[in-house]
Amino acid sequence: MTGHSHATASGMVDLPGGVFTMGSERFYPEEAPCRQVRVDPFRIDRAPVTNRDFARFVAATGHVTTAEIVPDPADYPGMPPDMAYAGSAVFQRTATPVDTSDPSQWWSFAAGADWRHPLGAGSALDGLEDHPVVHVSHADAEAYARWAGKELPTEAEWEYAARGGLDGADYAWGDTLAPGGAMLANYWQGLFPFANLLLDGWERTSPVGSYPANGYGLVDMIGNVWEWTADWWATRYPAKPHKTCCSGAEVDPRGGSRAASFDPATPDIRIGRKVLKGGSHLCAANYCQRYRPAARHPQPIDSPTSHIGFRCVMRDHVDKL
């Protein structure tokens, strides 16, 4: 990767674009293969959108989030009628070790959980104003981006930004997760989902900027909350080649299609899934080692949770650095 970034007064960072190594062959199969990808110059939010930011958006627009709307059972074949209430998925630590192949052990759909009430009805944002907003669906993130005159990043743009100029490194800061024992991101220390040693000081989300910025001056690209991207999920990197530039690198490949992103485990529910990036405070060495730039995860666009947020980009009027 070439070039340098520089911050703007708007809380965004200009990135020069260029060719980088996308993907990894050392962790999960959906990250492979490694390939050379080019992205154009763009501008990206220095930090995830915070509760303070999102509150301004809601105050200005009256936006009602997906989590605040009662779901229509017709959209979800098999939904018990008594589940048709507004809410969102909230993580709850288990008391003892459990089968980590069963996420229902630690996820529950909490009535009244939304961006203002992150733990469910009765909870509040007191003291969380500078934490990333959570319980936002993909449509909520897109609505905020439109209001702000921005867009959601592509998966390639996001990964390029997260790497911070360290091409091919496992983590956003090098090849060691906790060099010298240093906590460089908000992730789970200990045995997930019951024993969190809190070496990083946070049980759930943390204020943005609590950990060192990466080489591009961006904070919280890794851990804290997963971040929505614009790309539809594809399990494996498509074999069909995308357009290439003069160096032979692919030009910002855009993932799969909506139809191909449906979850084959629930064939009756045809809800598209988008790519999440960056991992969250729930990623642990024994469960989800996705606190890395190459890591990726599918998420239904209508399904907010207590560990998913987002940040935005701008592509127009960015100087060719």
Side-chain angles (χ1 to χ4, degrees), residues 4 31 50 53-54 85 97-98 119 145 180 196 211 230 242 256 258 286:
H4 301 280
E31 300 167 13
T50 64
D53 299 327
F54 202 77
Y85 53 82
V98 296
L119 300 182
N196 191 339
Y211 302 91
H242 294 267
R258 176 179 175 273
N286 73 308

Side-chain angles (χ1 to χ4, degrees), residues 51 65-69 86-90 110-121 123 125 133-136 304-306:
N51 287 311
T65 62
T66 300
E68 298 170 271
I69 300 170
S88 184
V90 175
D114 57 44
W115 75 273
R116 291 187 185 90
H117 309 96
L119 300 182
S123 64
L125 289 180
V133 66
V134 293
H135 297 300
V136 285
T305 74
S306 62

